[in-house]
Amino acid sequence: LTSLTFMKMAEDLPRLASITSLRRLEAAFLEVDDVNYLVKELPNLTHFIVHAGDRTALAYERLDLESTSLQSIDISASAKALSFERVNCPALREIVCGGNGAYGNGLALLVPNDGGGGFVRWEPDEVLRPGHPYDPGALCLFGTCWNDQEVPSPIEIPSACVVTWKQWGGWCVHATTSTTQGEVAKAYEEGRAAWGY
């Protein structure tokens, strides 16, 4: 057995973790600890699609991923503000997130906070606001924060990893650690224009 999709909640986690041949898993979860556990325990898992078990499950939680085999994780259809504490996955090539903005999830784009050190979350549609610390030539920095009450912190991802934000209109924005903020802003504006936003 190499691929498994649950149309309901994944419940018997030790039994699921015993399927060591599993390479692709799609399932719904109530707790981030369950997701973290399976990523760590499944030695051949390369593709993981995470859904929330209900509307509030996983919301504002953080994943702490550790895997030598994981290549792709898709949390775009999981929960509002689900983010990452740590991504220790050297083979990771893709992180698929929900759209930018208040209902997004996954990784946020960060820029230095000119007013007091640290970082602030940057959304591509904010570049036209006066005083926003946007630098079109600066490389993208990814971070964990979707909660406005917390100070964002950077997350290290492999240089070959592509972060994709699935926007609400059906279009996507992609970035890597070698993508500039200007390139992201341009892709965001082109996507909005193409979809009539």
Side-chain angles (χ1 to χ4, degrees), residues 98-133:
N100 300 91
Y103 291 97
N105 64 22
L107 291 174
L109 288 166
L110 303 183
V111 294
N113 182 4
D114 290 339
F119 299 92
V120 293
R121 188 176 77 208
W122 173 67
E123 295 178 20
D125 61 347
E126 294 178 337
V127 299
L128 300 178
R129 292 184 189 170
H132 196 275

Side-chain angles (χ1 to χ4, degrees), residues 25 28 31 36-38 43 92 104-105 114 122 143 149 162 174 176 182 188 195 197:
L25 176 62
E31 304 285 336
N36 296 337
Y37 169 76
L38 287 174
L92 197 63
N105 64 22
D114 290 339
W122 173 67
Q149 303 302 314
V162 176
H174 311 279
T176 68
Y188 188 81
W195 284 85
Y197 288 101

